[in-house]
Amino acid sequence: MAARRSRIPATKYPVERFTLDNGLRVVLTPDRSAPVIGVAVVYDVGIRSEPEGRTGFAHLFEHLMFQGSENLEKLAHFRHVQGAGGTFNGSTHLDYTDYFETLPSNALERALFLEADRMRGPRLTEENLRNQVDVVKEEIRVNVLNRPYGGFPWLTLPPVMFDTFPNAHDGYGSFDDLESATVADAADFFRRYYASGNAVLAVSGDIDVAEATELVNRHFGDVPARPAPQRPDFTEPDLTAERRTSYTDALAPLPAVAGAWRVPDPITDFAGYLPYVVLAEVLTDGDASRLVERLVQRDRTVTSLGGYLGFMGDPFDVRDPTALLLQAHLPPGGDVDKVLRTIDEELDRLASDGLTDGELARTQARMATHLLRDTDAVLGRALRMAVLEQQRGEPGLLNELPRLVGEVTEEQVRAAAATLRPERRAAIEVIAGGAR
């Protein structure tokens, strides 16, 4: 075990944490190696938090946060960031929404001003709302309705696996719900979830900690204090019988299938959760992986295959309930039942016979490489630390993740594989309607 740990490189990014009087949590991680900074603000509200009758509202509100504020007109945020040579964006996840910038380090105060300004209040007008509803509807058309395999499986599988609205509903939103949204709804959503006490600010890169602390206090210190809302309970029991369904995709040229199994709570049982993260990679990462070698190369029953944790591929920034997913595209006339049976056979073989020489170490080395690469850039570091602070109060866990992945044992991976039984699986089949 000691030899294995020594092969996994570690990071030692420094972490400074403090909380403002208004409840805003702040994480600073200085790195003076290049004159660039990453700034991220994460709000503890995501797809699972949106109320019934307002599907898609978390994503819609992400759009509204870019439509100006009480102090800045529409598009001003864009001009101020790009005018300083920076880039920006935002994204909506199951359990949080983030906003972020990469900028030259001399633009730190500009970024802090912009984020604090819209934290005080975005410009919520009927014109902005209707415009962004139309933008989101067009996004749904492009990414889901008019695209082969649109929403597969991140939108189509949760309703099979889960029964409660927070976990099962369409996070992109229905057109009816989006069109019926009002400015009052948006104002209430902002008041409830976009509170300073419900947010984390992270700054990474070329900063002086004392100076950055002073600037954070200057710009965020007078944001009105509002506490974090009570987080809804997303708990659901595990499956006790297999659930399967299918649908025809008129645009899909080939059949496809996805299956998912519940995994331990990634927050409260992290040690129990990690073996599943490694298992997904053992099964699907690279040509030498278990299922790729069997299904793609040997049996040729699928044309492509992938596996990951979390419906949005987010193993280290998602709460319970979540799942290990496997998805595959099949050749014309492919047999979905045979594919699922083969997956079951390989899981049983892994659980009973264990891994081959070097299989686990190779997988862990690749995973560590990806983790190190993803946080090498200052923005990736800021985003990861912000979410780790938000969900765990442990931004420094970023430094430990490669080592912890490397310490997962073969016995733990085998035990995880043994739990992925057919009776605990939810599966969805895409019937190709676009094949010629």
Side-chain angles (χ1 to χ4, degrees):
M1 184 64 69
R4 177 186 295 161
R5 282 200 299 268
S6 68
R7 291 199 298 268
I8 301 294
T11 55
K12 296 182 180 178
Y13 297 121
V15 180
E16 300 283 344
R17 303 169 63 221
F18 57 93
T19 302
L20 300 186
D21 291 342
N22 58 17
L24 176 68
R25 288 179 282 168
V26 182
V27 179
L28 305 177
T29 175
D31 176 359
R32 311 307 295 268
S33 61
V36 63
I37 56 168
V39 177
V41 178
V42 170
Y43 294 89
D44 197 342
V45 56
I47 289 169
R48 284 201 264 220
S49 297
E50 56 196 20
E52 292 193 55
R54 288 292 173 263
T55 59
F57 209 93
H59 177 227
L60 171 63
F61 203 88
E62 175 214 319
H63 281 247
L64 290 173
M65 286 287 280
F66 286 96
Q67 301 307 302
S69 67
E70 294 178 3
N71 297 313
L72 293 175
E73 72 279 9
K74 189 173 182 177
L75 302 182
H77 190 111
F78 299 28
R79 290 197 301 271
H80 285 303
V81 174
Q82 293 173 334
T87 60
F88 65 93
N89 213 330
S91 59
T92 309
H93 302 252
L94 288 179
D95 294 309
Y96 66 92
T97 306
D98 58 24
Y99 304 87
F100 46 87
E101 296 87 17
T102 302
L103 288 154
S105 54
N106 61 6
L108 171 61
E109 185 166 14
R110 180 178 299 208
L112 295 178
F113 164 77
L114 291 170
E115 290 296 351
D117 186 61
R118 63 177 166 186
M119 184 180 286
R120 290 186 184 89
R123 186 170 293 197
L124 301 177
T125 66
E126 184 67 23
E127 178 186 2
N128 283 343
L129 177 61
R130 299 276 69 87
N131 175 269
Q132 293 310 303
V133 164
D134 288 342
V135 170
V136 171
K137 287 167 59 180
E138 185 61 22
E139 193 173 321
I140 294 170
R141 293 187 185 99
V142 170
N143 293 334
V144 180
L145 300 179
N146 297 328
R147 171 178 290 188
Y149 314 104
F152 171 79
W154 77 278
L155 291 179
T156 56
L157 190 50
V160 183
M161 172 166 270
F162 299 119
D163 296 319
T164 66
F165 174 81
N167 297 313
H169 76 276
D170 181 346
Y172 242 141
S174 75
F175 281 15
D176 286 344
D177 283 356
L178 291 168
E179 290 168 352
S180 65
T182 67
V183 172
D185 292 331
D188 181 67
F189 194 83
F190 174 79
R191 191 164 47 249
R192 179 186 299 269
Y193 292 110
Y194 278 71
S196 53
N198 207 38
V200 174
L201 164 69
V203 183
S204 175
D206 184 23
I207 58 171
D208 174 83
V209 170
E211 178 187 4
T213 301
E214 192 277 326
L215 289 173
V216 169
N217 276 282
R218 180 189 306 173
H219 291 285
F220 287 89
D222 63 352
V223 173
R226 298 199 313 280
Q230 181 70 36
R231 187 179 303 118
D233 182 9
F234 304 137
T235 303
E236 285 204 34
D238 197 1
L239 299 184
T240 56
E242 183 180 20
R243 295 182 179 181
R244 281 186 62 177
T245 190
S246 64
Y247 67 98
T248 299
D249 184 335
L251 300 177
L254 297 171
V257 65
W261 298 260
R262 288 278 298 276
V263 295
D265 189 321
I267 306 298
T268 63
D269 187 14
F270 193 49
Y273 173 77
L274 272 178
Y276 291 86
V277 182
V278 177
L279 172 61
E281 300 298 315
V282 167
L283 293 172
T284 64
D285 185 29
D287 290 344
S289 63
R290 289 287 177 120
L291 294 181
V292 172
E293 192 278 331
R294 172 75 188 273
L295 291 164
V296 179
Q297 298 177 352
R298 193 196 323 170
D299 296 354
R300 301 195 176 186
T301 52
V302 307
T303 57
S304 65
L305 184 139
Y308 46 95
L309 268 291
F311 289 91
M312 300 177 77
D314 43 10
F316 299 118
D317 54 6
V318 67
R319 293 189 175 106
D320 187 68
T322 190
L324 184 154
L325 280 77
L326 299 174
Q327 66 180 84
H329 291 81
L330 284 65
D335 188 337
V336 165
D337 288 331
K338 183 177 181 180
V339 170
L340 292 176
R341 284 197 306 270
T342 305
I343 290 172
D344 293 335
E345 290 173 10
E346 288 299 313
L347 289 169
D348 287 342
R349 188 166 70 89
L350 176 56
S352 59
D353 299 343
L355 291 90
T356 60
D357 288 343
E359 186 177 7
L360 180 59
R362 179 184 69 243
T363 301
Q364 290 168 317
R366 288 170 67 126
M367 293 178 70
T369 299
H370 293 320
L371 286 168
L372 293 166
R373 181 196 62 197
D374 291 346
T375 56
D376 182 57
V378 291
L379 180 59
R381 209 174 307 155
L383 284 165
R384 176 60 55 79
M385 284 195 176
V387 177
L388 290 172
E389 170 64 37
Q390 173 223 15
Q391 296 185 347
R392 303 169 182 272
E394 294 183 79
L397 184 63
L398 175 143
N399 290 317
E400 302 296 321
L401 285 176
R403 175 184 63 80
L404 292 171
V405 164
E407 289 179 350
V408 171
T409 67
E410 178 179 347
E411 292 73 21
Q412 290 174 312
V413 174
R414 291 176 62 177
T419 70
L420 304 189
R421 307 301 305 158
E423 63 269 18
R424 296 184 58 243
R425 179 173 58 212
I428 190 160
E429 175 186 357
V430 179
I431 299 170
R436 293 184 178 180

